[in-house]
């Protein structure tokens, strides 16, 4: 089968090379063998192949973090051969073995491409807005990088919860994408007065909740409301900020982190709660994945990662793997 295999730390996606390797061994107890039909691409995939991510797999490893596909072999009663599923695992390959605990049934009426990007982005955004920020209907929610993978999920979820959504992004095209997905206001954060624009559209109130996967906490404190909550989701800008704690004090602001991957260890009981709520929203049609217009292939995954890294993409970037007739 074809797969990307990382045997040493790489400078970037351009150094990834595809190889023909043996199919995985029989799945161990508690595992599934999946024919991957689509893979979700993420910014952290690049960090992982560079050795800059918090998880550093031993060499050699298959990169990738999200997938959708068909169960080829099952060792658990919950899943049977032929089931359409999505989940998390090293996914840049035609066939993978993954723990069944990292896999869920695909929502009805979703394509493999739509399902491939659900497992990390949507629960990250839902857990942040609901579990950590307690976002309420009628509140103003400011979403940075609102056309990116987690950003667009946050826009959709905040809107579904009844919030008034202010989206920021760095191009007209990305701002239009955010508005198409539910944003009430769209602001270009390349403009020097973007914090003043946030205050203006909220009639001086400011944002009750700020969703920040970029690293804009310091600037955001200027337009955060009294009792506001700033969610620290990531650092796509590349630098880890120093937060001006005097502004937190003066405006009763809470700066709150969210590490969705750590819930497995620390609060596993919340995972089912989050997914149940998301599945209800998927089934109702209130949430629908927004895919980048270019669907990549297994061979062109490096180009997809480069598009993410260069901020050329919007929505969820996915790669279709195999074809409808492929049988392994």
């Amino acid at each position: 089968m074809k797969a990307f295999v990382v045997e040493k730390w790489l400078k970037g996606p351009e150094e990834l090379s595809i190889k023909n390797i043996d199919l995985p061994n029989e799945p161990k107890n508690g595992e599934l063998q999946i024919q991957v039909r689509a893979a979700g691409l993420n910014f952290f995939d690049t960090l992982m192949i560079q050795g800059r991510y918090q998880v550093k797999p031993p060499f050699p490893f298959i990169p990738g973090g999200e997938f959708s596909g068909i169960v080829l072999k099952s060792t658990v009663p919950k899943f049977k051969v032929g089931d359409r599923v999505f989940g998390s695992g090293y996914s840049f390959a035609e066939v993978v073995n993954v723990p069944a605990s990292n896999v869920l049934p695909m929502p009805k009426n979703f394509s493999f491409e739509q399902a491939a990007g659900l497992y990390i982005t949507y629960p990250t955004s839902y857990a942040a807005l609901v579990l950590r920020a307690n976002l309420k209907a009628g509140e103003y929610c400011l979403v940075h990088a609102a056309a990116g993978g987690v950003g667009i999920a946050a826009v959709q979820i905040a809107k579904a919860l009844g919030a008034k959504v202010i989206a920021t992004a760095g191009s007209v095209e990305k701002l239009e994408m955010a508005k198409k997905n539910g944003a009430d206001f769209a602001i270009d954060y390349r403009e020097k007065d973007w914090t003043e624009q946030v205050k203006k559209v909220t009639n001086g109130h400011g944002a009750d909740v700020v969703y920040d996967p970029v690293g804009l906490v310091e600037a955001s404190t200027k337009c955060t409301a009294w009792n506001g909550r700033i969610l620290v989701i990531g650092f796509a800008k590349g630098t880890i900020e120093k937060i001006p704690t005097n502004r937190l004090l003066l405006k009763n602001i809470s700066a709150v982190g969210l590490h969705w991957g750590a819930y497995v260890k620390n609060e596993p009981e919340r995972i089912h709660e989050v997914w149940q709520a998301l599945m209800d929203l998927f089934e109702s049609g209130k949430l629908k994945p927004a895919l980048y217009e270019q669907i990549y292939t297994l061979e062109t995954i490096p180009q997809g990662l480069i598009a993410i890294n260069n901020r050329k993409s919007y929505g969820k970037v996915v790669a279709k793997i195999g074809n409808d007739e492929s049988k392994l």
Side-chain angles (χ1 to χ4, degrees), residues 143-170:
V143 179
H144 291 309
V150 290
I152 214 140
V155 168
Q156 291 181 350
I157 292 165
K159 192 67 179 173
L161 294 170
K164 290 171 276 193
V165 183
I166 308 155
T168 73

Side-chain angles (χ1 to χ4, degrees), residues 70-279:
I70 298 169
V71 176
L72 295 176
K73 297 177 182 179
S74 174
T75 66
V76 298
K78 183 179 175 183
F79 295 102
K80 64 183 187 300
V81 172
D83 282 351
R84 291 156 53 96
V85 297
F86 70 99
S88 175
Y90 299 115
S91 56
F92 295 170
E94 291 180 313
V95 180
V96 295
N97 287 351
V98 295
S101 57
N102 289 1
V103 175
L104 291 166
M106 273 174 52
K108 293 171 190 168
N109 303 321
F110 272 35
S111 68
F112 286 112
E113 289 81 8
Q114 287 175 316
L118 299 181
Y119 199 82
I120 293 170
T121 49
Y122 276 91
T124 294
S125 295
Y126 187 91
L129 293 171
V130 176
L131 303 188
R132 302 295 283 148
N134 198 22
L135 179 65
K136 295 282 194 287
E139 289 191 312
Y140 287 104
C141 182
L142 172 62
V143 179
H144 291 309
V150 290
I152 214 140
V155 168
Q156 291 181 350
I157 292 165
K159 192 67 179 173
L161 294 170
K164 290 171 276 193
V165 183
I166 308 155
T168 73
S171 73
V172 172
E173 183 184 38
K174 289 180 179 181
L175 291 169
E176 280 304 311
M177 186 73 177
K179 286 175 84 171
K180 270 188 208 169
N181 281 274
D184 299 287
F185 309 98
I187 294 170
D188 189 332
Y189 54 25
R190 295 174 303 176
E191 294 177 6
K192 288 181 180 177
D193 69 340
W194 70 261
T195 57
E196 289 301 316
Q197 291 182 52
V198 171
K199 286 194 263 188
K200 185 176 179 182
V201 300
T202 61
N203 300 310
H205 178 80
D208 297 292
V209 172
V210 178
Y211 182 96
D212 181 19
V214 180
L216 292 169
V217 172
E218 189 275 329
S220 297
T221 57
K222 297 176 185 176
C223 59
T224 301
W226 172 259
N227 281 336
R229 291 87 77 199
I230 299 178
L231 291 158
V232 180
I233 306 300
F235 314 100
K237 222 162 108 179
T239 54
I240 296 174
E241 292 182 278
K242 288 185 170 68
I243 298 175
T245 51
N246 61 315
R247 288 190 204 156
L248 304 187
L249 181 151
L250 292 170
K251 295 169 79 175
N252 251 28
I253 295 171
S254 302
V256 185
L258 184 280
H259 184 184
W260 173 244
Y263 273 75
V264 175
K265 179 182 175 186
N266 296 295
E267 285 185 271
E269 68 279 2
R270 305 307 295 268
I271 295 172
H272 176 74
E273 173 191 337
V274 167
W275 275 116
Q276 189 58 58
L278 284 171
M279 288 298 187

